[in-house]
Amino acid sequence: MPYQRNDAFAENFTEIGKSEPPYYLNRRFDAAGNFLPQPGNTIVSHVLDGSKTQQALVRVREAMMALPHGDRFAYTPVSSLHMTVFQGTIEGRRQPVYWPRDVACDVPIDETTTLFVDRLEGFPSAPELRMRPVEITPLGLVATGATLADEMTIRALRDRLVEPFGYRHPDHDRYTFHVTLAYLKAWLPVGAETVYLPALAELERSFLAEIDVLELGPPAFCTFNDMTEFKPVHDLA
C-alpha cells in the first residue's frame, strides 16, 4: 500500500507502462465501483464509530473523491473502515502460503472460519493496540505503532497468530498496517501526480496534526462477503 512520492506515484497509480488493468478490478469490484462477492475471514480492529479518527478519515475520503479523476477509485463504506491485524483466508487466494497447512486448499471458506474460531477459543487475550498515523496515500492511511514498544506489541501478536491460523504469509514480517479508503479501478492519467502529490501532502499534514493515536476497537476475528462489511464472530480482547 505505501509508496514513495515522486516517480513511484506514476509507477503505482498512472497508466504509464501499464498493459493490464488494476489488479482488483473485476476481482473485488467492477468498473462502476460496485463491490463483488469475495468471501473470507480476517482479524481486524475497526475504526471506532463516531470517533475523531473516523471523522478525520471521512474528510480525507471526501477530499479524495473530489479530486480530479476521483471517480477512478472504488471507495469502501465508512462503516467498514478498519485496520487489518492478521490476514485470514479469502476466496481467490488459495495457495498453500495463504492457507492452513493442515487443511486442503479446496475447503470452503466457511469451514476455515469454523476452524479458526475453534482454535482461537484458547488464544490469550490480545493486548491494547496503539497505532499512530504515518502517511496518506491515494488508497488510504498508513499506520505504525504509536511507540516502538507498541510496534513490537502488534508484531508479537501477529507472530502468535501464526500458530492458530497455520500459515505465515510471505509479507508477514514486512506487512504495512493501514486503513483502506479506496481501491484503484482505472489507472490515473499521465501527469496526475502534479495534482495528487500536493493534495495528499496537505491531507496528510492536516490529519497528522489532528490525530496522534488512532481510535481503534480491540482486535476481532471477522467474516466478510465482500469489502463492505466485516462482521465480528470472535473477540480477541
Side-chain angles (χ1 to χ4, degrees), residues 5-204:
R5 297 180 170 124
N6 53 53
D7 293 343
F9 182 96
E11 178 183 347
N12 291 329
F13 299 107
T14 75
E15 59 195 9
I16 293 177
K18 308 296 194 306
S19 59
E20 299 291 334
Y23 179 78
Y24 287 120
L25 178 64
N26 295 323
R27 297 173 191 256
R28 292 190 174 177
F29 49 83
D30 62 21
N34 301 308
F35 284 90
L36 303 173
Q38 192 181 38
N41 50 60
T42 182
I43 292 180
V44 308
S45 288
H46 282 92
V47 175
L48 291 180
D49 188 35
S51 65
K52 289 180 60 178
T53 297
Q54 184 190 63
Q55 294 166 11
L57 286 170
V58 167
R59 288 193 290 273
V60 170
R61 182 178 182 273
E62 291 174 346
M64 289 180 170
M65 295 174 77
L67 285 173
H69 317 298
D71 59 347
R72 299 194 184 196
F73 294 84
Y75 296 90
T76 55
V78 173
S79 60
S80 76
L81 298 182
H82 65 273
M83 183 192 74
T84 300
V85 176
F86 194 92
Q87 310 102 303
T89 55
I90 185 171
E91 196 61 66
R93 191 173 64 190
R94 290 177 170 272
Q95 299 89 339
V97 292
Y98 305 116
W99 208 258
R101 66 179 64 91
D102 54 348
V103 176
C105 288
D106 60 354
V107 163
I109 294 293
D110 286 349
E111 291 190 23
T112 68
T113 296
T114 299
L115 173 68
F116 295 147
V117 169
D118 289 344
R119 291 180 175 180
L120 289 170
E121 283 296 336
F123 193 80
S125 296
E128 178 186 7
L129 301 180
R130 299 178 68 256
M131 308 295 292
R132 64 178 175 86
V134 174
E135 180 181 19
I136 298 292
T137 83
L139 305 181
L141 173 71
V142 176
T144 191
T147 66
L148 178 58
D150 291 314
E151 180 73 8
M152 293 173 65
T153 293
I154 193 168
R155 295 290 174 183
L157 175 59
R158 282 175 56 81
D159 287 345
R160 289 193 288 118
L161 285 166
V162 167
E163 182 175 352
F165 278 81
Y167 50 76
R168 186 183 183 92
H169 281 206
D171 69 348
H172 178 86
D173 292 325
R174 64 180 186 277
Y175 182 78
T176 300
F177 299 103
H178 62 275
V179 177
T180 299
L181 297 178
Y183 292 94
L184 188 65
K185 61 189 177 95
W187 299 116
L188 297 176
V190 175
E193 62 270 21
T194 61
V195 172
Y196 270 80
L197 293 184
L200 292 170
E202 177 56 28
L203 288 171
E204 181 179 299

